């Protein structure tokens, strides 16, 4: 379904904006006309974007049932709930079961990430100024996670190397002993992301699926080049 879009202002600074309710309404109408009988509309966290609000406004007047779901996350933290819903829908499950699958997945999915600087997140309003000061005072590298739909400072690490090593340890801890799916996400840092993925492949014997993906421009605007992140979720066979 719809997502935020990115643009560049005349001053050269980048920004993002949510899709309008009209855009969602057009999408829902087109799906209904094609024979779709119900829609699970899953989106990035409402704490970071108004996309969910636009989707809900359009859903109220849709010709077919539309259940709007706030994933409370971004990137593959949104992607994994979408995949869970798609699997349920492909198996012929009703809308209630499809949306339940998405919500369960969202609740059990964890995302951790490293950025070279918090300045991009501060400028976009996705993290508070106080966290920026904590990260920059002694050139400390920030480790972040998503809590209650918001980006929060998790730990402060002295170097990028230590930050990435800590990301690796966090993934191992979050995985536990059960089978998991894992996405290593990056922005303009594929060699570093692939190296991290290879190390995790060796440390997680129950790893069911591993993918390395580059984040799109909407996330990239806020995190900046060099971002490295991990999203981990229980594997559903």
């Amino acid at each position: 379904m719809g997502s935020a879009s990115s643009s560049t202002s005349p001053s050269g600074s980048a920004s993002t904006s949510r899709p309008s309710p009209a855009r969602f309404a057009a999408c829902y109408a087109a799906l209904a006309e094609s024979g779709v009988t119900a829609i699970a509309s899953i989106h990035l966290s409402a704490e970071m974007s108004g996309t969910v609000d636009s989707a809900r406004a359009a859903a109220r007047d849709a010709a077919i049932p539309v259940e709007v779901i706030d994933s409370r996350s971004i990137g593959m933290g949104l992607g994994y709930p979408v995949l869970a819903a798609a699997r349920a829908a492909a198996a012929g499950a009703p809308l209630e079961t499809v949306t339940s699958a998405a919500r369960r997945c969202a609740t059990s999915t964890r995302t951790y990430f490293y950025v070279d600087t918090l300045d991009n997140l501060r400028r976009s309003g996705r993290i508070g100024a106080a966290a920026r000061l904590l990260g920059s005072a002694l050139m400390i590298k920030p480790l972040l996670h998503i809590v209650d739909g918001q980006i929060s400072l998790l730990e402060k690490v002295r170097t990028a190397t230590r930050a990435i090593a800590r990301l690796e340890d966090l993934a191992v801890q979050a995985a536990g002993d059960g089978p998991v799916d894992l996405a290593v996400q990056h922005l303009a840092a594929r060699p570093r992301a692939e190296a991290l993925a290879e190390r995790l492949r060796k440390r997680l014997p129950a790893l069911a699926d591993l993918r390395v993906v580059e984040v799109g421009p909407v996330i990239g605007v806020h995190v900046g080049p060099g971002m490295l992140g991990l999203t981990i979720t229980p594997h559903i066979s």
Side-chain angles (χ1 to χ4, degrees):
M1 287 306 306
S3 61
S5 61
S6 63
S7 62
T8 303
S9 70
S11 65
S13 60
S15 63
T16 58
S17 61
R18 65 180 178 180
S20 67
R23 184 176 173 188
F24 278 105
C27 181
Y28 297 154
L31 289 170
E33 289 172 5
S34 72
V36 170
T37 57
I39 299 170
S41 189
I42 310 168
H43 305 286
L44 71 164
S45 173
E47 299 293 336
M48 303 184 211
S49 168
T51 301
V52 165
D53 291 335
S54 290
R56 286 175 176 153
R60 286 194 288 268
D61 297 322
I64 57 176
V66 178
E67 184 74 21
V68 178
I69 299 171
D70 180 353
S71 72
R72 309 291 286 168
S73 192
I74 53 176
M76 284 302 295
L78 162 62
Y80 281 127
V82 169
L83 291 173
R87 284 192 296 267
L95 180 61
E96 181 180 358
T97 302
V98 170
T99 56
S100 177
R103 291 190 171 100
R104 284 197 308 271
C105 181
T107 299
S108 60
T109 297
R110 299 288 177 266
T111 293
Y112 308 95
F113 61 106
Y114 156 81
V115 292
D116 283 326
T117 173
L118 288 172
D119 286 343
N120 293 71
L121 287 166
R122 177 186 59 81
R123 284 195 296 269
S124 67
R126 265 57 179 187
I127 195 166
R132 170 187 170 270
L133 294 175
L134 285 172
S136 62
L138 296 173
M139 299 301 290
I140 289 170
K141 297 298 184 180
L143 280 177
L144 307 166
H145 62 158
I146 297 177
V147 181
D148 296 329
Q150 300 184 71
I151 296 172
S152 300
L153 186 65
L154 175 63
E155 296 178 7
K156 302 183 295 294
V157 185
R158 292 286 182 180
T159 66
T161 299
R162 290 184 180 180
I164 295 169
R166 181 62 180 139
L167 271 183
E168 185 178 331
D169 290 340
L170 286 167
V172 172
Q173 292 170 17
D177 298 325
V180 294
D181 296 334
L182 174 67
V184 179
Q185 298 152 100
H186 72 95
L187 180 61
R190 179 165 288 276
R192 190 159 62 178
E194 290 179 343
L196 176 59
E198 188 57 34
R199 292 194 300 272
L200 284 168
R201 193 187 302 276
K202 295 174 182 177
R203 293 188 64 184
L204 296 174
L207 185 61
D209 179 73
L210 174 64
R211 63 188 72 199
V212 177
V213 295
E214 186 163 24
V215 300
V218 170
I219 295 177
V221 162
H222 300 296
V223 297
M227 186 281 295
L228 197 61
L230 297 171
T231 297
I232 190 164
T233 191
H235 176 72
I236 300 174
S237 56

